[in-house]
Amino acid sequence: MRAYLLCVMVMLSAHVANADLRADLLSCKAEIDPLRRLTCFDTIKVEASSDAEAQAAATWTKPEIVLTKANLRLRGKDFQKHVFNDRVEVVPTFQNGTKKTVVAIEHTLVITNAFGDKVINSSSQLDIKIPPGSTVESESFYYWDNNPFIPNEPYDRLNGAVGTGVAKAEMVVSKAVFSDGTSESYK
């Protein structure tokens, strides 16, 4: 109960400069009977201010490095290119909306099937150089090999959806590292 009151007091004092509200809170806090104290706190009306909404929106930074395209494809065996099993590949293309050169990104990758079920849901880091204002297709790509001895592996769950063109890949950048050594988190 004390932790709840402390949390409410801190939140309200940080975002709301309303003397009547503070008086109501102090009055409820002074109540000795626990049931009346709870009832007292429940009767206090709190309205969110536009300042609080603006501050909450400012705490989340929208990524300026975004996925523009994720090319999902099936690749057959090709011993000359060192592809020893059929596989599913995804090749991402990113756009840099910053004024700095990106040299690496951290991101989440989600690939869904026709029903919207997540087949792949992972986090990864990618070394990629993207000049300011440019769009670059990654030289690195992600892939899932077919192992005919293991059933229901990622390749098996992706093969049909990618083959029919209904699979969707989404990558969200959570952190970027720039050529000047700085980094930016987007959370």
Side-chain angles (χ1 to χ4, degrees):
M1 182 69 176
R2 287 183 186 178
Y4 171 76
L5 291 176
L6 180 61
C7 182
V8 168
M9 292 292 288
V10 168
M11 241 173 44
L12 292 174
S13 64
H15 297 294
V16 180
N18 187 337
D20 294 334
L21 183 59
R22 285 189 183 154
D24 290 343
L25 286 171
L26 291 174
S27 171
C28 291
K29 186 178 178 184
E31 184 64 53
I32 296 171
D33 182 23
L35 184 57
R36 286 186 179 172
R37 183 180 310 130
L38 274 176
T39 306
C40 181
F41 281 115
D42 287 341
T43 61
I44 298 175
K45 300 277 187 220
V46 180
E47 295 179 19
S49 69
S50 60
D51 292 339
E53 291 171 5
Q55 188 173 10
T59 60
W60 184 77
T61 308
K62 183 179 177 188
E64 296 180 74
I65 298 98
V66 294
L67 178 76
T68 57
K69 183 173 87 173
N71 186 14
L72 284 163
R73 62 187 180 204
L74 294 175
R75 168 108 23 180
K77 291 179 189 178
D78 187 347
F79 296 114
Q80 291 179 345
K81 293 185 179 181
H82 302 285
V83 178
F84 301 110
N85 291 307
D86 294 344
R87 67 185 185 195
V88 173
E89 299 176 344
V90 61
V91 181
T93 301
F94 292 96
Q95 181 178 19
N96 179 3
T98 69
K99 295 180 181 181
K100 299 178 184 180
T101 299
V102 172
V103 293
I105 59 171
E106 185 174 83
H107 63 84
T108 57
L109 167 62
V110 176
I111 301 176
T112 56
N113 63 15
F115 297 99
D117 297 333
K118 292 180 182 177
V119 179
I120 302 292
N121 186 4
S122 64
S123 296
S124 186
Q125 297 173 339
L126 179 65
D127 293 319
I128 182 170
K129 189 171 185 176
I130 313 171
S134 297
T135 301
V136 173
E137 181 178 83
S138 175
E139 292 179 14
S140 299
F141 57 92
Y142 300 94
Y143 68 92
W144 297 269
D145 277 329
N146 178 25
N147 184 335
F149 305 107
I150 301 175
N152 202 26
E153 62 182 343
Y155 171 86
D156 297 326
R157 296 189 312 267
L158 288 170
N159 185 34
V162 172
T164 58
V166 296
K168 293 181 184 167
E170 184 178 298
M171 290 184 180
V172 178
V173 176
S174 55
K175 187 174 185 177
V177 179
F178 301 99
S179 60
D180 63 1
T182 60
S183 64
E184 181 79 29
S185 290
Y186 305 105
K187 293 181 182 181

